[in-house]
Every structure is written in C-alpha cells, then in structure tokens.
Amino acid sequence: MQTETLTFDPRVLREDFPILQRQVHGNPLVYLDSAASAQRPRQVIDREREVGQTLHANVHRSAHTLANETTAAFERTRDRVASWINATRREEVVFTRGTTEALNIVARCWAEQNVGRGDRIVLTRMEHHANLVPWIRLAKSHGIELAYIDYDSEYRLDFESLEKSLTPNTKLVAVAHASNVLGTVNPIREIAERAHAIGAKVVVDGAQAAPHLPVDMQDLDVDFYAFSAHKMCGPTGVGVLYGKYDLLDAMEPWMTGGEMIQHVSWFDVSYAGLPHKFEAGTPHIAGVIAFHKALDYLDSIGMEAIAAHERELSAYALEKLGALPFLTLYGPPDADNRTAVFSFNVHGVYPDDIAQMLDADGIAVRTGHHCAQPLVEAFGCSSTVRASAYLYNTTDDIDALADSLQRVYSLFAA
Ligand code: C6P
C-alpha cells in the first residue's frame, strides 16, 4: 500500500485484499460488485479477529480491564468517524446497523414529530428504497405530500425541477449523495442551501458517496447524513447516522432498552444524552472497532486519490462499454461528478443470463432493480446489469468485462 500520495497503484494495493487473489470457476476473480458490498483489506479483517482474541467484552457497562479497553477502542472509532466526516462534535455520530437503519431513525424520530398533514417531503427519482420507503410510509400515514426532483437526459438532477419542488410547505429534502444505479453524484451543498433558504431540513443518503469521495459535514451543511461501513472496506452490520447536535438532542429515541437510559423507575424513564440515546442494546462491537482500521486504510490512500482513480476508471469504462453497440448504458455519459457504477442492458438478452455467463468467467456483477425499482422501471425494464468498481479495480477488470460481454452477445446473437 502507498501512503499520502495523490495517485496510487491499484495493482499494488490489491495485495492488501486476500479475496482478490482467489479464483472463481477457474478464472481470477474480477470483483465488480462493490456498490453492493466492498471487499475488506487484511488490516480490517485482522483487526476484527484481534478484537475477538484479545479485547472482547461489552461496552459502556462493566469496569474491568477488558471492558474498559473495549469501550475505549469503540469510542475511539467514534472520534475517528467524527474527524473523518468533519462533524462539529463527536456526539453527532450515532452508530447504527447501516444506512437503512440510520434513515429510518430520521423518519421515525425526527420526521414523524416535525412533518405533518399538508406538508411536503421532496425526494429525487434516483433514491434507493432505504431513502424512499420510509418516506412513502410516513406520507401515507400522516397525510404528507411527496414530490420528486426529475433527472435530465444525462441522468443528472434537473435544477429547474428542484426549484419547482421546493414549495413553502416543504419540510424535508431527502436525497442520495450518489445513486447506486446511475453513479450520478448530486450537488448536495447547493441543494442544502436552497432547502435551508425555505426552512426545510436535508437528509442525505451517503451510502454510495462516503466510500468514494471526501465528505465534510460542515462544508455540505446537511442536517442528517447516513452511510454504511461495509461499502467502504469495513465490516457489515455497522453504519453511521450523522445529525446536527441540536436536532439529534431534541429527538425522541429510536429503540429503547439497555444503555440508552439515564434513570429508570417503575413508571418512568429519562434518557441518556447523545449519542447513547440512539444506541440501545449491545452494538456490533468488533465491527465498530475494525471500522476504525477501514477509515485509516482509506485515509492512508487519500479520498481525493480514490476519487481521482475512480474518475479515470469511469472515463475508461464509459469509452469501452460505450463502444459496444449492443449495450444501453444508464447514467451520466462523462466521468465528472460520477462514481464508477455502470448499469446497462444488452439488447435481447436477460440480465440474469448475462450475469450468469459473466460469473462463469469469474466476473461478479449484480442484476435486478438494485432496490431502486421505480427508477429502473422508468427505464422501461424491470432489471439491469450493474458493474461497480472501487479503489482496487483496474482497467484490466474493465477489459475483462467488455470482452466477456462481447462473447455473451455473440453467443446469444448466434
Ligand atoms: N445498496 C446495492 O447493491 P445498507 O444495506 O443499509 O448498508 O445500505 C442501504 C443502501 C442505502 N442507500 C443506497 C444508495 C444504497 O446503495 C444502499 C445499499 C446496495 O446497491 C444493496 S441494495
């Protein structure tokens, strides 16, 4: 691994990822499914094992040495996350099971109390179900109006549509920082400025952005931001809800039970302060502690360098895949403000058949509606193939994908 350079060699870095050395069906693994879950470097895998072997105890409870050391390591991850996203205070970082849980906390604990009948919630047409279903459910149960910001012919947010959607009754704008289907990166700071100008709050689904771009809460000035560790070289079952301190502080808790209380009597309860009010029960301790290593790993390469690498890879992939005449690509046609996610269909071939044949060549991609069903149905289909790259992918992987697609198509055309 190289440190603190603006560029890095993904071929060297791949050696940190044991799984990338394995074969699938006799072929070297070409992993192009990082938008679903990214692979983990040895440093993260080892740390999780080390926690199990030397540190395991519950957190914030007992006072013996193991418990104290585990709690300290757990809380060090909170400090690491807070500085990584440039939060104002460490208490603004709540550990969750993932982005889905984090967004549901905002819907249940902030929006249910602050958005009501006749109010409007503004979404985009490129939301993942995690930032769609909670709002649809809330809208149906509370008489709230939903409005959608359209995308333009290049799959980027249409600012005219955004301006039109922001009516005086808008209380919340819920938007993905990056689309898991299109790769589009949305201009969050500008959206937050416009939303705040009419007094609306902003919640951002950062699941597909935090792994790929520098994210800075004070710069973006959003009210809530959610992301998952497993998409950024960390363990599964760990996520983060960032919220501005005063908003989180005023919110009702999410789950109730152990560790989120200040005092309980037979008939009453007072809640703990932030962030523990939102962390009932025993968390994924080893996962949170190992997440620290994932952030160290990403930082050692540099988020700017990762973004630059993915930009280069995107430019290469867009040219290479764009040259295949039997392919329809869904997503921005250029590499700027875009992540390395490529959704497409091959004319006349079912996505699942394509994925199966790519898998036979050792190439891992995802098919389906990608938990963004209305968006994929708007393309006029029910499913696409999606290849998604990350810091360890190279142009060789894109070449392997393009070659394999060419073979698949020739076979079906014949
Ligand atoms: N998208 C994909 O293959 P969780 O499962 O809670 O860690 O993340 C949910 C989520 C929320 N928002 C976006 C934009 C996402 O992409 C995801 C997860 C995976 O696209 C699995 S469906």
Side-chain angles (χ1 to χ4, degrees):
M1 192 177 71
Q2 300 187 348
T3 51
E4 310 237 325
T5 51
L6 272 178
T7 57
F8 60 93
D9 184 348
R11 286 175 179 81
V12 176
L13 182 141
R14 287 171 71 84
E15 287 163 20
D16 290 334
F17 293 79
I19 207 166
L20 298 180
Q21 320 308 324
R22 72 161 281 184
Q23 305 241 317
V24 171
H25 303 303
N27 294 299
L29 170 65
V30 175
Y31 190 73
L32 289 170
D33 197 20
S34 295
S37 201
Q39 296 301 344
R40 292 169 301 156
R42 189 173 284 108
Q43 291 84 333
V44 173
I45 297 167
D46 288 352
R47 182 59 174 152
E48 207 166 355
R49 189 183 310 115
E50 188 183 52
V51 171
Q53 287 174 351
T54 65
L55 209 60
H56 180 72
N58 213 326
V59 288
H60 307 123
R61 288 161 170 84
S62 313
H64 53 80
T65 300
L66 280 190
N68 290 341
E69 287 177 5
T70 311
T71 300
F74 184 91
E75 288 301 324
R76 276 199 300 275
T77 305
R78 197 185 311 276
D79 291 327
R80 189 76 179 84
V81 172
S83 69
W84 202 77
I85 60 173
N86 195 25
T88 310
R89 304 171 61 152
R90 69 189 306 281
E91 294 86 351
E92 295 177 326
V93 174
V94 174
F95 289 119
T96 66
R97 286 186 299 134
T99 304
T100 303
E101 185 177 44
L103 293 167
N104 273 276
I105 292 175
V106 180
R108 279 297 177 94
C109 308
W110 183 82
E112 269 190 20
Q113 281 72 42
N114 292 283
V115 189
R117 188 163 294 282
D119 288 337
R120 170 181 275 210
I121 293 176
V122 171
L123 305 160
T124 80
R125 293 199 190 276
M126 55 180 89
E127 297 310 314
H128 183 280
H129 294 167
N131 202 26
L132 189 57
V133 179
W135 310 119
I136 294 173
R137 180 166 82 164
L138 191 70
K140 284 169 77 102
S141 62
H142 283 61
I144 296 163
E145 179 194 8
L146 293 183
Y148 288 91
I149 308 170
D150 292 320
Y151 51 84
D152 64 19
S153 60
E154 296 199 335
Y155 300 95
R156 298 198 182 277
L157 274 197
D158 177 354
F159 259 71
E160 211 178 305
S161 170
L162 165 70
E163 301 285 5
K164 274 196 198 136
S165 69
L166 295 177
T167 48
N169 62 335
T170 302
K171 291 291 185 304
L172 181 71
V173 178
V175 54
H177 196 168
S179 160
N180 69 317
V181 176
L182 304 169
T184 310
V185 174
N186 290 317
I188 297 300
R189 189 159 11 100
E190 288 79 354
I191 293 170
E193 263 170 30
R194 283 168 166 77
H196 288 155
I198 58 155
K201 302 290 185 228
V202 178
V203 55
V204 176
D205 173 351
Q208 298 290 349
H212 306 283
L213 321 164
V215 290
D216 179 325
M217 292 306 111
Q218 295 188 53
D219 178 53
L220 294 176
D221 191 29
V222 296
D223 299 289
F224 301 101
Y225 194 98
F227 56 101
S228 301
H230 72 99
K231 294 191 197 290
M232 47 205 298
C233 299
T236 56
V238 176
V240 170
L241 170 64
Y242 158 84
K244 283 186 177 165
Y245 186 90
D246 290 346
L247 290 174
L248 287 179
D249 194 41
M251 279 157 58
E252 282 292 302
W254 167 235
M255 285 199 297
T256 54
E259 271 314 302
M260 50 74 66
I261 57 92
Q262 186 180 57
H263 185 260
V264 182
S265 61
W266 291 124
F267 295 105
D268 205 4
V269 54
S270 57
Y271 303 125
L274 291 176
H276 305 293
K277 181 170 74 168
F278 292 104
E279 294 179 1
T282 301
H284 183 1
I285 297 165
V288 168
I289 295 173
F291 184 34
H292 194 301
K293 284 283 175 202
L295 296 179
D296 288 349
Y297 187 83
L298 294 177
D299 255 357
S300 72
I301 299 157
M303 292 310 294
E304 293 285 1
I306 292 170
H309 168 66
E310 291 186 32
R311 228 176 359 258
E312 269 176 40
L313 211 56
S314 292
Y316 186 83
L318 289 170
E319 198 176 324
K320 193 94 191 181
L321 299 177
L324 301 176
F326 50 82
L327 213 80
T328 301
L329 270 163
Y330 310 98
D334 57 82
D336 288 338
N337 294 320
R338 181 192 211 297
T339 58
V341 165
F342 313 103
S343 288
F344 57 85
N345 272 315
V346 171
H347 306 165
V349 191
Y350 286 116
D352 284 350
D353 291 338
I354 296 163
Q356 218 173 343
M357 293 183 75
L358 293 180
D359 185 58
D361 286 344
I363 302 172
V365 296
R366 183 180 171 185
T367 60
H369 53 57
H370 314 296
C371 302
Q373 196 162 22
L375 172 65
V376 169
E377 287 185 353
F379 302 156
C381 55
S382 58
S383 176
T384 76
V385 185
R386 185 190 66 185
S388 52
Y390 201 16
L391 71 177
Y392 37 67
N393 289 111
T394 65
T395 51
D396 291 348
D397 296 334
I398 305 299
D399 289 343
L401 173 68
D403 291 349
S404 196
L405 284 170
Q406 185 71 63
R407 269 198 307 280
V408 173
Y409 184 70
S410 309
L411 217 88
F412 274 86

